[in-house]
Amino acid sequence: QKEVEQDPGPLSVPEGAIVSLNCTYSNSAFQYFMWYRQYSRKGPELLMYTYSSGNKEDGRFTAQVDKSSKYISLFIRDSQPSDSATYLCAMKVGGGGNKLTFGTGTQLKVEL
Amino acid sequence: GAVVSQHPSRVICKSGTSVKIECRSLDFQATTMFWYRQFPKQSLMLMATSNEGSKATYEQGVEKDKFLINHASLTLSTLTVTSAHPEDSSFYICSARDPERGPEKLFFGSGTQLSVL
């Protein structure tokens, strides 16, 4: 079993839809949770960073963490064609150390 | 966010040659940089952690003599793929932390697509 599971998609939605992207994890030591957006053949761009359980909102993006269920989500409201990309979740254990563990990424396409 | 510049963006080389990839932090000092590898439709896999002024730390299964890492200054790390072979063809991405923006946030370069013929 992988430490981080993420549905690879592809996920296709119409413009304006609410998108829900999810990751599950098995390592209860993960304390820091991030979402990255990666356009084709580009480096990932940090979108959201959370530490505690609960919701964090930034513009059209909301990150949700449920540590009891080992489940994190990224919601995108009013999705736009420019949101079409691969979204990667990433996690890190607490207490120091450098290693981020990534999900495989979910490919999202927002269609006109 | 912090700016990490990676060069070149794409390189095509013959089998047996060596390729150097540069990673620079443009607006912050990075004592630690990270090198990842990504195959199509797969996740990023950490190859090594590059530490300024000391030897890199390699992940299990990564050949340190194959993938040479040098972190000579606080703003520059290089990855050299030595005697490249077709199986080394991949997307290589560097990243760095800006301590002032939080130790847990990684900022990535734009990646280098290596194709070995």
Side-chain angles (χ1 to χ4, degrees), chain A residues 66-81:
Chain A
D66 182 348
K67 289 185 178 179
S68 63
S69 300
K70 298 189 180 67
Y71 187 89
I72 69 170
S73 299
L74 177 70
F75 298 97
I76 307 174
R77 291 185 299 281
D78 188 25
S79 56
Q80 303 294 312

Side-chain angles (χ1 to χ4, degrees), chain A residues 1 3 23-28 33 53 64-73 91:
Chain A
Q1 182 188 10
E3 277 191 295
C23 287
T24 58
Y25 62 95
S26 57
N27 187 349
S28 57
F33 305 91
S53 284
Q64 188 175 80
V65 174
D66 182 348
K67 289 185 178 179
S68 63
S69 300
K70 298 189 180 67
Y71 187 89
I72 69 170
S73 299
M91 308 178 188

Side-chain angles (χ1 to χ4, degrees), chain A residues 51-103:
Chain A
Y51 170 70
S52 58
S53 284
N55 293 351
K56 181 178 181 179
E57 189 174 320
D58 184 0
R60 295 185 296 112
F61 300 92
T62 299
Q64 188 175 80
V65 174
D66 182 348
K67 289 185 178 179
S68 63
S69 300
K70 298 189 180 67
Y71 187 89
I72 69 170
S73 299
L74 177 70
F75 298 97
I76 307 174
R77 291 185 299 281
D78 188 25
S79 56
Q80 303 294 312
S82 58
D83 295 328
S84 298
T86 296
Y87 290 80
L88 298 142
C89 63
M91 308 178 188
K92 182 182 171 302
V93 299
N98 294 312
K99 189 172 182 177
L100 280 186
T101 302
F102 284 86

